[in-house]
Amino acid sequence: MNGLFIMIIAIVVLLAAYLIYGRYLARTWGIDPKAKTPAYELEDGVDYVPADTNVVFGHQFASIAGAAAINGPIQASVFGWIPVLLWILLGGVFFGAVQDFAAMYASVKNKGRTIGYIIESYIGKTGKKLFLLFCWLFSILVVAAFVDIVAGTFNGFQAGSDGVITPIRANGSVATTSMIFIVEAVALGFLLRYGKLHKWGNTAVAIVMLVAAVILGLRLPLYISLNNWHLLVFVYVLIASVAPIWALLQPRDYLNSYLLIAMIVAAVIGVFAARPEVNLPAFSGFTVNGQTLFPFLFVTIACGAVSGFHSLVSSGTASKQIKNEKSMLPVSFGAMLMESMLAVIALIAVASFSSSAETAALGYTTPSQIFAGGVSNFLAVMNLPQDVVYTLINLAVSAFALTSLDSVARVGRLSFQELFQDESVRPEEMSLVRRVLTNKYFATILTLVLAFFLTQVGYDSIWPLFGASNQLLSALAFLACAVFLKHTKRKSFMLWIPMFTMIAVTFSALALTIWNLGSGIVGGSYQWIAGMTVTVNGASVLTAWGAGIQLLFAVLILALGVVVVIQGIRKLLAKPAAAM
């Protein structure tokens, strides 16, 4: 089997899905290009900020296309390339893209409110409170995992087998470029808001900024230790989650989207040029390394097929920037299909290596390094410098993680604030305690402090629980959107199969995660879904305290999910209310 064949199949399927199924959904649910969107109706200069379609697409794509779109397919490749490819394509089209579009559609039709508010309006206040608590816990997990990923990508030093500390130039270059991105994003934010340039002029300026940042990063690497990067990234996230969207989040994602799309286009060209052989088996069996195809394949591959986190971005930030309802389809449905394309590239990259021994011999020990190594090999056929390409791909991967981190921190803050807000009470009439709990600075700091403690146990330890809870969030998003569509006299049948499938997958995965965590605590070791065992000793990555916190999160998330699902299904089966 040749990687080019897989690539052609993916391009045809995803393009046809957008032109046929995406447009069918838009016609079926109804798009009103003359409607006044929440971005204009509730414009506040902080969260509700009208933006051009390409800017919002950049924010949406850069936010949802996290490291999971690369990590998931590579980790799941142990089951063989056929089940991975099938889930990416079928999941991306009929699960992920539908969820993202439905979440954004429901939000825009409800004044740009989040999925939590959709649940309150159509399921009930109790369901909303439980869902918001679920989202907040989930956001803490995501922040903890992605901060560790970003800090590890920026880590400027490594210890050799002889104990000698040496700098890592590639990581230092990525760190410098990323820091320059942040400064440039602020400048671009003011240009987009107050400048008089045409959108293509803004695009030209953004591309020049991007190229300048990459050149300076390659020439001036920044060497800072891992622990210091943990602190610096948390400081950045604190600022990013409370700053006005137009000043940092929106322009930063706009800048990064060009880098990310350029990386995907370059990788596709590389596959066509190199035509790499697929060295993975087509199918390795239903049980591999102690893992069963169900539910682990569907939890491991999240963002490339379907991800509950996407619904939070679609309804939490992107929906508040939509200028025209016509933009919803390309921004949500289109961005998800683009991410599925990224997942396919990750599959081809790992399949191009003959074995795990080969990747280890080349120094590729993480999914991100395997991805960067594979793509740089493809482009080397075109006589491009492999070391430079490898650094640029790693830079793009870190951009995925950092932009996702920006968005999820803001979503976590908003979820915590909404948990204690009451629209029937004016702000000046709130009690002191409620004013504190709904304060954006308090909500942000509390969220980040808890995430910081979880970060100390390591990204690998958090990922299994993150994957299971992320997919449960997608089931809840499907449920909320299905109730909204039914009670507003719109067809919702296309959400039912994805909803019940993800409920079955995630309840099974969470139950197994709880069992593994509990057994590990009792037995003194921790056997994870990913097959990793960590023991309690002086060199342990995971402490008993960290396992206990994660076990508590897992139990709470599963319990909250069960209650919200029960309440939602009751509403889904009830007689619909009058159309809005």
Side-chain angles (χ1 to χ4, degrees), residues 92-117:
V93 173
F94 296 106
F95 286 65
V98 175
Q99 175 208 250
D100 294 8
F101 184 34
M104 180 173 288
Y105 184 86
S107 178
V108 170
K109 292 295 187 180
N110 284 270
K111 299 184 182 298
R113 291 170 171 169
T114 64
I115 290 294
Y117 271 112

